[in-house]
């Protein structure tokens, strides 16, 4: 994006901010001022650069830091989802154990980690059944509980 496109975009965002300031229900909306601040930051970057410089988000440190933070958050979210899945499966297997039907449970992917979770829980797992859960039954596909 060059300075001409940037100036037009900045003017449009400023116009929208002036329009939004006229309505009470938009007074608490932080997106408009944040967008305006970002466009002004980009304009300041281009103003400080050599004439003819084009804005490239690939070399903008602020944008790259935001992308890295988003990637880190996505990894944390995936880890949290996996932990929740393992806890749910562990709860399911705990109920089967309490009912005395754990031997009938079909193995599922990640049951080794679930067994570790059950082992971690106080009194929640019988270690002798660990190997049986980890191996699929011959001729049967693993099945998840519904």
């Amino acid at each position: 994006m060059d300075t001409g496109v940037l100036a037009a975009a900045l003017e449009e965002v400023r116009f929208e901010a002036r329009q939004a300031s006229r309505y009470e229900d938009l007074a608490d909306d932080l997106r408009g001022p944040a967008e305006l601040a970002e466009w002004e930051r980009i304009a300041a970057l281009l103003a400080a650069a050599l004439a003819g410089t084009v804005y490239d988000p690939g070399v903008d440190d602020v944008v790259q830091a935001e992308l890295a933070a988003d990637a880190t958050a996505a990894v944390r979210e995936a880890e949290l989802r996996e932990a929740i899945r393992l806890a749910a499966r562990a709860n399911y297997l705990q109920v089967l154990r309490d009912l005395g039907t754990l031997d009938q449970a079909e193995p599922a992917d990640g049951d080794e980690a679930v067994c570790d979770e059950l082992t971690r829980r106080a009194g929640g797992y019988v270690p002798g059944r660990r190997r049986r859960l980890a191996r699929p039954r011959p001729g049967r596909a693993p099945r998840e509980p519904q």
Side-chain angles (χ1 to χ4, degrees):
M1 159 184 340
D2 63 5
T3 54
V5 173
L6 176 66
L10 184 57
E11 185 54 38
E12 182 179 330
V13 171
R14 285 180 177 154
F15 174 76
E16 289 174 7
R18 284 190 305 271
Q19 293 295 85
S21 70
R22 297 178 182 170
Y23 299 98
E24 279 185 38
D25 59 331
L26 297 177
D28 293 334
D29 187 13
L30 299 177
R31 291 176 293 180
E35 184 178 1
L36 178 59
E38 179 65 9
W39 281 108
E40 288 174 341
R41 185 188 70 78
I42 293 170
L45 280 176
L46 281 182
L50 298 173
T53 301
V54 176
Y55 174 73
D56 180 13
V59 295
D60 188 342
D61 292 338
V62 173
V63 172
Q64 295 307 310
E66 289 174 357
L67 291 174
D70 289 347
T72 301
V75 167
R76 280 192 218 140
E77 183 178 341
E79 290 170 350
L80 179 61
R81 287 178 189 263
E82 179 64 10
I84 290 170
R85 186 191 72 76
L86 289 176
R89 177 75 175 160
N91 290 340
Y92 173 74
L93 293 178
Q94 180 68 42
V95 168
L96 291 180
R97 180 191 166 276
D98 292 344
L99 294 173
T101 60
L102 184 60
D103 287 336
Q104 299 169 15
E106 294 288 335
D109 290 337
D111 271 353
E112 294 81 16
V114 172
C115 289
D116 292 341
E117 170 64 18
L118 288 171
T119 302
R120 187 187 63 77
R121 295 178 182 183
Y125 182 68
V126 177
R129 296 185 180 181
R130 182 176 188 161
R131 279 179 262 117
R132 182 163 176 86
L133 261 183
R135 282 192 318 252
R137 290 184 182 173
R140 288 196 175 178
R143 179 175 53 94
E144 276 297 312
Q146 295 179 354

